[in-house]
Amino acid sequence: MRVNLSSVMVDDQAKALRFYTEMLGFQKKHDIPMGEHRWLTVVSPEDPDGVELALEPDEHPAAKPFKSAIVEDGIPFTSFAVRDIAAEYERLESLGVRFTQPPVDYGTVITAVFDDTCGNLIMIAQETPES
Amino acid sequence: MNDLYRAIADPTRRAILDELVERDGQSLFELCGRLTMKHGIGSSRQAISQHLEVLESAGLVVVRREGRYKFHWFNGEPLRAITKRWPTNGHRS
C-alpha cells in the first residue's frame, strides 16, 4: 500500500486549477469530466509521477462550515514541501498571495501559511536539518 | 483590575504575550505552534483558546477579524496600571 493521492476541497475547480498551476507551479495531470464537475488532479513538476493532488469540489453541505471554521483559526488544510521558503514566500507575496503566517523558524522546520483563494489555508514547510 | 493580575499569573498566558510581542497579529494556529515548538507547552488548541479569552477580558489581547481570519494582537495599555500603582522610578508618574 502506498499513498498516491491527496486532495483539497475547492469552491471553484477552474479557479483552483489556475491558482495551483499558475501561482504554485504545479502541472495538470488528470482532467476528466464527471457530470457537473471534473476529476482534476495536479502534480509537482519536481515529481510528475509522484503523489497527485485532487482539486475536489467542496459541495458537500458539511464542507463549507468545516473549511471556514478552520480558516478562522488559521489552520492549514494541508502542507507542501519547499526547498527555499524565504524565496517562495517572497515570490508568492509579490504575486499577491495572502499569507496568514509569514515564515516562522522552529529550529528543525520553517513554516508559513497562505490562502489558496479557494477557501483553504495551505502550509509550506522547509525542513532545516541541524548541521 | 483583578482580571489583570489573574491574567498574568499564569506562565502559559505570559508565554502567549511573549510570542505576540515577538510578532503581533497571530492566528490561533500560529500561536499554538509557537507555544508547542518554542516553549514545550503541549496544551490543546481549546485550552489555548481559553487562555486567550482570559487575556482578552483583561484587555491584554485584542481579537480582530480580517475577512475570514481571526488574529490576536497584544495590548500593553492595562499594564500601565501596575507602574502607576507601584512606580518603578521611585516617584509617581
Side-chain angles (χ1 to χ4, degrees):
Chain A
M1 215 180 282
R2 65 191 178 89
V3 178
N4 69 332
L5 181 77
S6 181
S7 71
V8 284
M9 293 181 288
V10 299
D11 58 6
D12 178 324
Q13 287 188 301
K15 181 178 72 176
L17 182 61
R18 282 198 302 276
F19 184 87
Y20 279 80
T21 55
E22 290 167 20
M23 301 292 225
L24 301 189
F26 294 142
Q27 295 168 348
K28 186 162 79 173
K29 176 109 180 198
H30 289 115
D31 188 356
I32 303 161
M34 302 265 285
E36 199 188 330
H37 302 293
R38 305 139 75 171
W39 176 247
L40 183 61
T41 70
V42 295
V43 287
S44 167
E46 294 167 37
D47 192 12
D49 298 317
V51 176
E52 293 177 46
L53 181 73
L55 307 174
E56 283 191 279
D58 64 1
E59 64 173 1
H60 190 284
K64 285 193 168 94
F66 166 73
K67 285 172 72 179
S68 46
I70 62 169
V71 165
E72 181 180 276
D73 284 339
I75 302 169
F77 184 76
T78 190
S79 180
F80 303 133
V82 294
R83 257 186 227 112
D84 183 346
I85 196 164
E88 203 59 59
Y89 172 69
E90 207 171 300
R91 184 183 78 81
L92 291 171
E93 263 234 311
S94 71
L95 291 171
V97 173
R98 170 75 156 99
F99 277 79
T100 59
Q101 182 201 298
V104 178
D105 191 343
Y106 292 120
T108 53
V109 66
I110 309 170
T111 69
V113 179
F114 64 84
D115 191 320
D116 77 348
T117 72
C118 303
N120 304 290
L121 294 177
I122 303 290
M123 176 184 280
I124 46 175
Q126 178 192 347
E127 285 185 34
T128 49
E130 280 140 302
S131 44
Chain B
M1 203 61 217
N2 281 335
D3 277 0
L4 176 65
Y5 298 123
R6 188 167 88 84
I8 57 176
D10 181 272
T12 299
R13 290 199 281 273
R14 291 197 297 271
I16 290 174
L17 297 181
D18 289 341
E19 289 305 319
L20 289 179
V21 167
E22 188 173 311
R23 195 182 93 76
D24 220 354
Q26 292 183 45
S27 68
L28 178 61
F29 175 79
E30 179 174 353
L31 265 176
C32 289
R34 285 167 176 264
L35 292 172
T36 308
M37 304 287 283
K38 296 172 69 180
H39 299 264
I41 296 170
S43 308
S44 69
R45 210 169 264 146
Q46 209 176 352
I48 300 306
S49 206
Q50 280 161 3
H51 282 307
L52 283 165
E53 278 171 33
V54 175
L55 290 167
E56 203 187 344
S57 72
L60 291 167
V61 164
V62 176
V63 180
R64 261 186 245 139
R65 275 175 190 282
E66 272 174 52
R68 304 163 55 237
Y69 333 111
K70 208 166 82 178
F71 294 115
H72 304 83
W73 303 80
F74 172 67
N75 177 38
E77 198 56 37
L79 297 171
R80 268 182 209 282
I82 295 175
T83 50
K84 212 174 162 192
R85 183 167 166 184
W86 298 294
T88 50
N89 54 4
H91 43 83
R92 285 171 192 275
S93 48

